[in-house]
Amino acid sequence: MPFHAAGTFEVNLVPQTLANADAGPLMGRLSINKTFSGDLQATSKGEMLSAGTVVKGSAGYVAMECVTGTLHGKSGSFVLQHSGTMNRGEPQLTVHVVPDSGTGELAGLSGTLGIRIADGKHFYTMDYEISPR
């Protein structure tokens, strides 16, 4: 049976040094630290790689983050995989739970996470299932 979770999160992105210094000036690497509130009470830590372009409003990023806490009262951790593009101001983002990354009471977790930003505040919605192992 699918479940739906919603709430807000705060994010702290900190620029990091690229592993390949020759990658070019449009490439970036950031550490991610988030605090989730609402149906997901958790923190996360992760890494993001980004690429800008010379065209305003076009860019891309990928990220992995490990989320630890409770989801509707079930405790454990899981990994989120992000893939985002901005095509001349038009965003496209997919965020999936990495298969079999759930631990504790979140073992068997699968699903997707949506992100919305309004007036500088970050909101999430998560559609998920927890399958028996």
Side-chain angles (χ1 to χ4, degrees), residues 1-127:
M1 175 198 300
F3 295 97
H4 181 78
T8 61
F9 68 92
E10 296 197 15
V11 61
N12 183 27
L13 300 173
V14 178
Q16 303 292 312
T17 302
L18 285 168
N20 185 344
D22 296 332
L26 298 177
M27 300 292 290
R29 180 174 161 244
L30 303 150
S31 69
I32 303 168
N33 292 287
K34 290 182 184 170
T35 303
F36 294 88
S37 300
D39 297 326
L40 176 61
Q41 295 284 321
T43 59
S44 75
K45 296 191 179 303
E47 297 248 344
M48 174 191 298
L49 294 174
S50 65
T53 72
V54 295
V55 175
K56 182 178 167 93
S58 292
Y61 89 94
V62 293
M64 301 296 278
E65 67 179 302
C66 183
V67 180
T68 304
T70 61
L71 176 60
H72 281 132
K74 295 183 184 286
S75 65
S77 65
F78 57 93
V79 176
L80 291 173
Q81 178 178 328
H82 299 239
S83 178
T85 57
M86 182 76 79
N87 185 352
R88 298 182 182 219
E90 289 295 318
Q92 181 181 4
L93 174 65
T94 57
V95 183
H96 292 275
V97 174
V98 172
D100 297 316
S101 66
T103 68
E105 294 176 299
L106 299 176
L109 179 70
S110 62
T112 59
L113 185 101
I115 296 173
R116 181 175 60 88
I117 303 170
D119 298 324
K121 192 163 184 173
H122 292 76
F123 299 88
Y124 70 86
T125 56
M126 186 172 179
D127 294 312

